[in-house]
Amino acid sequence: MTSGNRYCDPCNQRSSIKLARVWCTECQEALCKECEAYHQTFKVSRDHRLIPVVENDQNPTSLFKIKAFCERHALKRNEFYCTLHEEPMCAICVANEHKNCDGIITIEKAAENAKFSPALADLEDRMYYVVNLLQKLKQDRILNIQVLDKQKTHMLLEIKRFRENITRHLDVLEKELNTDVTEMHQKHVEDLQLQAQELDNRIHTIKEYQQSSKKIKSQATNVHLLLAIRELENLQISQEEYLETVSDRLSRVDINLEFNQNAVEIPTLAKPLGFIQTKISPCYVFTTTERVKHAPLYVKGILHETRTEIKHDFIVPRSDRNAAITGGVFLSDGRIVLADNNNKRLLIYNENGTVFVEVKLNGKPWDVTEVGLNKAALTLPSDRMVQFFDIKTMRVTQETNVKGRIYGLSSYGGRTVVVCRGSGMLILDEEGQVDTALPIDVTFVEYVCVGPGRIYYTDWYRKSVHCIDMTGEEIFRLKYNKMKYPLGITLNRDGTVFVVGRDSHNVLHVSADGHQREVILGKQHDLTYPRVISSHHGSRRMFVTYSNKHVVVFTLT
């Protein structure tokens, strides 16, 4: 819609049509020149921000229907916000539908920390994730077309080769059959020719007898004639005896062609010559958009008092050497995976620590994180390698080599962030390849955690906690006198952060904007030299490791 056909909303209510010239960002209404003057006169609206309607049409927010007025009471503005139900409302809603809700605040108060809202960051991260998936799906379609083109070319060539093979085979069979016909014809012709020659010889002999008989008859005496007749009789008898037997020995010879029945059926049986089949298989692109429960829109500016309830406390047994737990993760299924740097092993526990599986490694692991369904990754600093593996089979599925020693890592939304000395923060894509290297000074950084659009890390030398966005721009930096030698860090689903202080022997709870903090675990809980902390994203459970081999599981209340 352009300013040429945008009309004044108040005038339209009075059945009057006037072109609008400005847009009130508070009332979400278009105003004509006259209504603009009234709007700037009334006390209730004189401070409202007015912009040209053209600018509003070009404003990204014009893409969305922003609900400035109550959905239940159309003429009432949304002036309040219920933090319990996470929805805006008018004064009537507060008095009626939400009269028993404790978390009612003004809409302005709710909006104070909107830029730090986990929901906004989560949306940005999910949009990036979906766009990335759609691009991969599009590329997969293009590659599929290319594969089909190659398959078509290959099949046409195979059909041609198949036909040529059939033709060559038929040529061979034809040649063999022609040879058989020729040889059989030749054999029978030769036999018949021999028989004809033999008969011709008999004919010649008898004709000589006839000539001799005539000469004797005309020239010889009667006595000679008598004797000659007797001799000729004997010769004739011999020829007649031959004639009687030769008919039994002579046969009529014919040659016939009868095709092999299988060969005769080839033209009919070979219809069609072949079959073209379509194989449908799953797309190679993993398209899950499964997420943990949506992040809250409203971010509390002040932390409410957080209490902890210790559930379990167990000790990691030694192996060849004493255990030194340098990393760990609370898996989605409730199991706990620990990286034992001293003994080159991973330990997989159930939540209460009563059952564990030991997995031996070739190198010394530092940290481990969950990167997807039944998929995890670990860092090997000395090998300068990130290993991705299947949690069920413990089979390595991908290895990514980097240029520096790597320590902490964390994953969210298909991206894995790794601390790499000399390179900064590395962001790996879903295939485990380095997508981005943020030039962050990580000389004294050992641990990192990543959430919706945010990266959090600790710097033990500077005694600080840092929050940056996915481009490396700093959002906040926290230093606190009750936090000494900060190491492990984890993110709760409400956007708040938990940090362990090794030398202060405590766990610190930090608000999403970094302005508020509280100690939730300390020496009073026998927490000495804690290092690793990880939260379970589907609940309010966490675990902390301390004194190299102890693990305590607790719940936030």
Side-chain angles (χ1 to χ4, degrees), residues 9-204:
D9 292 317
C11 290
N12 189 47
Q13 294 294 323
R14 299 191 298 270
S15 300
S16 176
I17 299 177
K18 290 185 180 181
L19 290 177
R21 51 177 282 157
V22 295
W23 174 266
C24 177
T25 60
E26 299 291 328
C27 299
Q28 296 288 294
E29 285 188 325
L31 305 172
C32 65
K33 184 177 181 181
E34 184 179 353
C35 291
E36 176 188 359
Y38 285 121
H39 209 73
Q40 292 176 325
T41 302
F42 296 137
K43 183 178 180 179
V44 70
S45 59
R46 67 175 57 153
D47 295 327
H48 288 186
R49 182 168 177 258
L50 303 178
I51 62 174
V53 289
V54 175
E55 290 186 16
N56 179 67
D57 293 336
Q58 296 173 348
N59 192 327
T61 59
S62 66
L63 294 172
F64 317 110
K65 186 178 180 181
I66 299 177
K67 300 173 182 177
F69 290 87
C70 181
E71 290 182 339
R72 298 183 183 89
H73 311 97
L75 299 179
K76 294 293 183 180
R77 293 182 57 81
N78 287 322
E79 298 176 332
F80 300 93
Y81 189 86
C82 177
T83 59
L84 178 63
H85 295 94
E86 296 185 11
E87 63 177 358
M89 70 201 67
C90 68
I92 298 176
C93 292
V94 174
N96 295 312
E97 290 86 352
H98 295 266
K99 62 183 178 181
N100 295 321
C101 297
D102 294 330
I104 304 296
I105 60 176
T106 64
I107 194 75
E108 290 79 9
K109 180 66 177 176
E112 284 180 355
N113 297 293
K115 291 185 178 180
F116 296 101
S117 165
L120 177 60
D122 182 63
L123 280 172
E124 293 173 347
D125 200 66
R126 285 158 57 196
M127 285 188 285
Y128 167 86
Y129 180 78
V130 170
V131 168
N132 188 42
L133 273 181
L134 291 174
Q135 288 174 338
K136 289 183 178 180
L137 286 170
K138 175 186 174 183
Q139 184 62 26
D140 181 73
R141 301 298 86 192
I142 294 173
L143 291 176
N144 202 161
I145 291 173
Q146 295 174 354
V147 169
L148 287 174
D149 289 343
K150 291 180 180 179
Q151 290 173 342
K152 172 191 172 185
T153 302
H154 176 72
M155 285 192 292
L156 293 177
L157 184 60
E158 285 296 302
I159 293 171
K160 182 179 179 181
R161 288 174 179 170
F162 183 73
R163 182 189 179 283
E164 290 174 349
N165 288 336
I166 293 175
T167 301
R168 281 195 293 270
H169 184 63
L170 290 176
D171 289 342
V172 171
L173 294 179
E174 179 187 14
K175 184 177 180 180
E176 291 177 350
L177 191 57
N178 288 342
T179 301
D180 290 343
V181 170
T182 301
E183 290 179 350
M184 186 169 291
H185 171 268
Q186 183 67 28
K187 176 181 180 301
H188 292 310
V189 167
E190 289 177 355
D191 289 343
L192 291 172
Q193 286 176 341
L194 289 174
Q195 292 172 3
Q197 183 64 44
E198 181 180 349
L199 292 172
D200 187 62
N201 291 338
R202 292 282 180 176
I203 293 171
H204 181 73

Side-chain angles (χ1 to χ4, degrees), residues 332-348:
S332 300
D333 62 11
R335 290 181 296 168
I336 294 173
V337 182
L338 302 174
D340 183 356
N341 184 266
N342 264 2
N343 294 291
K344 298 182 180 179
R345 62 177 178 168
L346 289 180
L347 298 166
I348 305 176

Side-chain angles (χ1 to χ4, degrees), residues 221-265:
T221 64
N222 289 335
V223 174
H224 286 162
L225 180 60
L226 177 65
L227 294 174
I229 291 172
R230 183 176 178 81
E231 185 65 26
L232 288 171
E233 176 70 18
N234 290 333
L235 292 174
Q236 182 62 27
I237 290 174
S238 174
Q239 296 297 333
E240 289 175 352
E241 289 176 350
Y242 168 79
L243 186 61
E244 290 178 358
T245 59
V246 74
S247 60
D248 295 332
R249 292 189 295 109
L250 299 180
S251 302
R252 178 175 175 80
V253 180
D254 294 290
I255 56 176
N256 298 307
L257 174 62
E258 182 179 349
F259 287 103
N260 185 321
Q261 188 61 34
N262 292 332
V264 172
E265 294 177 354

Side-chain angles (χ1 to χ4, degrees), residues 198-215:
E198 181 180 349
L199 292 172
D200 187 62
N201 291 338
R202 292 282 180 176
I203 293 171
H204 181 73
T205 301
I206 293 175
K207 284 183 176 181
E208 287 181 346
Y209 292 165
Q210 288 175 332
Q211 293 296 328
S212 298
S213 175
K214 289 179 180 181
K215 288 181 180 180

